[in-house]
Amino acid sequence: MMNNALQEEILKLKEEKNAIILAHNYQPKEVQEIADFLGDSLELCIKASEIEDKDLVIFCGVDFMAETAFILNPDKKIVIPTLEAECPMAHMLPEEVLLKAKEEHPDAGVILYVNSIAEAKQHADTLCTSANAVKVTESLPHKKILFGPDKNLGTHVADKLKDKEIIHVPSDGHCYVHRLIHVEDVELKRKEYPNAEIICHPECKLEVQKACDVVMSTGGMLRHIAESDKEEFVIGTEIDMITRINSEVPGKKLYPLLEGAICNTMKLHTLEKIRDSLINEEPRVTLPSEVADKSRKAVEHMLEVSK
Ligand code: 13P
Ligand code: SF4
């Protein structure tokens, strides 16, 4: 329900500019309400690959997501309401660290989590998101895989695919938000909500994943809950995922696994900043054409495997 003059102004500007607003599931309620499309990283990537009829894309997510939209649409204006919206994990794997690891393991396939900078992506064989990491890893013929930057997602994949040797690059890349969640939080919520199913994201530590009932991407959580007969769920990821599920799947009881699981940079896109970015058509997200061209192969490989 739209109840805010700024939201109305944004919708009007969006029409005038023939713009589309893409937003990640972790955006706050007021941003989710004005988005044309909401999704997890994979769904946003797929949507970005399908934008043909819009002149301007306003990307309410973190830097690597907007960069991926640019990689797939180098001729479009891709705007992120604030450039400060960075994913710290994506910056944990600088290009030179990946190049050194490739030199040390010349026989390894390279899979980068989409939460990585484009300068690193250009050296990957393929990319993955939390929704398709296992499938993408299976798709590479290599037994040895350089996987980064998220060690927990890499450990999740290694746990499922015992015939692959996963080498983490860097050795301890992580999401600071999901790292806040501990096994004790799972035990506590189990006592508090004995009838609830406990779901967490694969960016959580493996011991947390093992303590939960189900592990899935944010988009996977939404679909799973919509299709489930169960009524109560504990959600182990960023707090606004609950906002998203509540608005799509009414009638369920949702509890956060950790109330403090907040991705601060995801919250930087205020309605004022979104309005201004529509008016000014900036700040623009761009990449050098060589980096975009080389990274596009890895993005396209992932999208092909995910079909
Ligand atoms: P999803 O692809 O599951 O939405 O995850 C993205 C992310 O950054 C999680 O922290
Ligand atoms: Fe990055 Fe973690 Fe925020 Fe996801 S929740 S965007 S991995 S910092």
Side-chain angles (χ1 to χ4, degrees):
M1 174 87 63
M2 215 71 56
N3 57 7
N4 177 315
L6 252 177
Q7 287 179 313
E8 298 293 349
E9 192 182 346
I10 288 168
L11 294 190
K12 210 163 144 263
L13 278 163
K14 199 170 62 132
E15 288 301 308
E16 282 166 23
K17 297 262 180 169
N18 192 30
I20 182 168
I21 301 184
L22 305 183
H24 186 263
N25 291 326
Y26 296 163
Q27 287 300 301
K29 189 168 190 291
E30 65 276 14
V31 177
Q32 293 196 16
E33 285 172 346
I34 48 102
D36 294 292
F37 183 85
L38 283 157
D40 68 10
S41 309
L42 180 61
E43 291 159 344
L44 289 166
C45 248
I46 294 171
K47 188 71 191 171
S49 72
E50 296 169 348
I51 301 164
E52 271 155 24
D53 55 333
K54 297 289 174 186
D55 301 320
L56 178 63
V57 181
I58 306 291
F59 208 115
C60 300
V62 282
D63 53 352
F64 73 84
M65 298 176 178
E67 278 183 4
T68 310
F70 175 81
I71 289 166
L72 290 166
N73 300 279
D75 301 327
K76 284 220 155 37
K77 290 178 206 154
I78 311 289
V79 168
I80 186 162
T82 169
L83 285 170
E84 279 89 61
E86 290 188 343
C87 167
M89 184 215 278
H91 295 266
M92 287 178 188
L93 179 57
E95 180 180 13
E96 57 277 14
V97 173
L98 178 60
L99 289 177
K100 188 160 177 284
K102 280 181 71 152
E103 241 175 71
E104 284 165 8
H105 302 280
D107 52 335
V110 180
I111 305 182
L112 291 195
Y113 193 20
V114 71
N115 302 37
S116 54
I117 56 170
E119 289 73 13
K121 278 190 179 85
Q122 65 178 331
H123 303 293
D125 292 311
T126 187
L127 304 180
C128 72
T129 71
S130 58
N132 62 17
V134 173
K135 200 171 169 189
V136 168
T137 309
E138 276 176 317
S139 80
L140 283 200
H142 313 73
K143 190 186 168 307
K144 212 194 239 190
I145 305 280
L146 280 170
F147 192 104
D150 189 13
K151 187 179 182 188
N152 291 330
L153 183 62
T155 310
H156 172 80
V157 171
D159 188 57
K160 299 270 178 255
L161 302 177
K162 305 280 191 230
D163 59 325
K164 299 277 188 186
E165 183 193 346
I166 304 287
I167 302 161
H168 305 286
V169 55
S171 57
D172 191 29
H174 63 274
C175 162
Y176 77 98
V177 181
H178 290 84
R179 192 133 112 168
L180 295 171
I181 301 175
H182 301 290
V183 172
E184 293 71 29
D185 298 308
V186 182
E187 288 165 353
L188 226 100
K189 296 291 165 174
R190 244 195 232 291
K191 278 205 191 97
E192 207 174 339
Y193 306 111
N195 299 320
E197 184 172 53
I198 307 188
I199 311 179
C200 79
H201 196 275
E203 285 177 16
C204 294
K205 289 174 283 204
L206 189 64
E207 71 239 40
V208 171
Q209 297 181 31
K210 296 272 181 196
C212 290
D213 300 314
V214 202
V215 183
M216 39 183 61
S217 72
T218 62
M221 289 178 190
L222 181 68
R223 280 189 298 280
H224 175 77
I225 292 171
E227 287 161 12
S228 172
D229 296 333
K230 296 195 178 77
E231 259 183 42
E232 289 185 63
F233 300 87
V234 172
I235 307 298
T237 189
E238 212 274 344
I239 205 81
D240 268 310
M241 189 60 215
I242 291 189
T243 310
R244 167 91 164 108
I245 304 170
N246 265 332
S247 72
E248 298 265 331
V249 196
K252 304 278 185 184
K253 292 187 186 127
L254 308 172
Y255 315 106
L257 180 49
L258 183 71
E259 286 78 358
I262 297 169
C263 177
N264 294 318
T265 49
M266 279 277 185
K267 314 300 175 195
L268 294 175
H269 304 310
T270 59
L271 290 176
E272 284 82 359
K273 290 207 166 92
I274 295 170
R275 189 256 330 263
D276 293 349
S277 71
L278 269 162
I279 295 173
N280 302 321
E281 304 189 4
E282 57 181 36
R284 292 273 287 275
V285 174
T286 56
L287 290 166
S289 58
E290 200 192 316
V291 175
D293 290 346
K294 283 168 82 183
S295 308
R296 192 171 307 114
K297 291 196 189 82
V299 182
E300 285 174 352
H301 182 278
M302 172 187 77
L303 292 176
E304 192 54 40
V305 172
S306 308
K307 277 183 183 162

